[in-house]
Amino acid sequence: SQQGEEDPQALSIQEGENATMNCSYKTSINNLQWYRQNSGRGLVHLILIRSNEREKHSGRLRVTLDTSKKSSSLLITASRAADTASYFCATDPQGGSEKLVFGKGTKLTVNP
Amino acid sequence: EAGVAQSPRYKIIEKRQSVAFWCNPISGHATLYWYQQILGQGPKLLIQFQNNGVVDDSQLPKDRFSAERLKGVDSTLKIQPAKLEDSAVYLCASSLGFVTMNTEAFFGQGTRLTVV
């Protein structure tokens, strides 16, 4: 079953703009992670945020986590054409066996 | 460090045939995952190993899918017999495991299976 639900399903922006993707999940978690998948390739880990953290940065990425609302957002600033990919959130639910449960993803297109 | 290796990259089989996928995780990674990703969807966990023990196979269609991880290293996933709906990319991933409280997973390139 899918734990996370990304929103929007698809996003198209111009190079240089910021892109924001949201993820909502259902059960309490240990941590939440974001992954990127370029077309036809494997997933690449972007960032992990633990349940006791509220915000985390990595380069042009900013992730927030609101455990009271069971939601997270991924912000990509100053987007580039190379950021075109699908982005997935994945959660590690509490009480489990360190699972990694993925959502359906947001397909981001950055137009040059 | 070497990444997660998977083979083959592509496979085309007829329905009712059998197929096997192989995965070699990153050295020292205790946790190994197999995911199925149907086109346009997110990865769906099929089975999770901790060393050579299964910790979650609740979404594995056990009447046709099987997986093993001998000696806690390499793993194989088998489908027998295949159905048309098994057409998907099969992704293997590994992580250090819960002992380190670090679940960042490293993925292989996947095996794209087409059942005709």
Side-chain angles (χ1 to χ4, degrees):
Chain A
S1 60
Q2 301 289 145
Q3 156 81 317
E5 201 65 46
E6 287 91 341
D7 168 60
Q9 289 187 357
L11 180 61
S12 181
I13 59 174
Q14 295 299 123
E15 212 165 22
E17 294 181 339
N18 295 341
T20 299
M21 288 158 270
N22 302 296
C23 170
S24 59
Y25 57 91
K26 298 173 184 173
T27 63
S28 296
I29 60 173
N30 293 316
N31 63 64
L32 184 145
Q33 304 177 46
W34 285 90
Y35 287 79
R36 183 186 73 226
Q37 185 177 40
N38 291 88
S39 179
R41 305 186 71 174
L43 285 85
V44 175
H45 180 265
L46 295 176
I47 197 164
L48 179 154
I49 186 166
R50 301 197 187 282
S51 60
N52 61 352
E53 297 174 312
R54 292 297 166 256
E55 187 170 313
K56 207 160 182 181
H57 297 254
S58 177
R60 294 184 296 113
L61 306 180
R62 173 178 168 254
V63 169
T64 62
L65 179 64
D66 187 334
T67 53
S68 66
K69 294 181 179 178
K70 291 187 171 59
S71 67
S72 173
S73 67
L74 170 67
L75 168 67
I76 304 174
T77 59
S79 63
R80 305 166 182 167
D83 295 328
T84 294
S86 290
Y87 292 81
F88 296 90
C89 69
T91 54
D92 175 13
Q94 282 185 4
S97 51
E98 201 192 69
K99 287 185 182 182
L100 203 55
V101 184
F102 284 84
K104 296 179 181 179
T106 291
K107 186 173 177 59
L108 173 67
T109 302
V110 182
N111 301 298
Chain B
E1 104 190 321
V4 176
Q6 286 189 249
S7 67
R9 284 295 312 276
Y10 305 92
K11 190 75 177 178
I12 300 175
I13 62 172
E14 295 182 349
K15 59 183 179 184
R16 291 188 289 274
Q17 285 187 325
S18 63
V19 64
F21 312 127
W22 173 82
C23 173
N24 181 224
I26 292 173
S27 177
H29 281 194
T31 301
L32 186 146
Y33 309 87
W34 281 103
Y35 286 88
Q36 178 193 61
Q37 187 176 25
I38 292 172
L39 187 63
Q41 299 184 18
K44 171 188 165 186
L45 179 66
L46 292 176
I47 189 166
Q48 177 184 347
F49 293 93
Q50 189 75 24
N51 296 310
N52 62 346
V54 176
V55 295
D56 190 337
D57 63 358
S58 57
Q59 297 195 88
L60 186 73
K62 298 180 186 63
D63 57 335
R64 298 183 301 105
F65 286 65
S66 64
E68 60 182 5
R69 190 182 184 195
L70 298 176
K71 301 180 182 177
V73 183
D74 292 9
S75 177
T76 56
L77 176 70
K78 296 179 182 177
I79 307 175
Q80 183 180 13
K83 294 185 176 181
L84 295 177
E85 63 256 35
D86 298 332
S87 293
V89 176
Y90 291 84
L91 296 163
C92 178
S94 69
S95 71
L96 283 169
F98 71 93
V99 174
T100 64
M101 296 300 291
N102 186 341
T103 55
E104 173 187 346
F106 295 82
F107 281 79
Q109 291 294 298
T111 297
R112 182 177 298 277
L113 174 68
T114 302
V115 183
V116 297

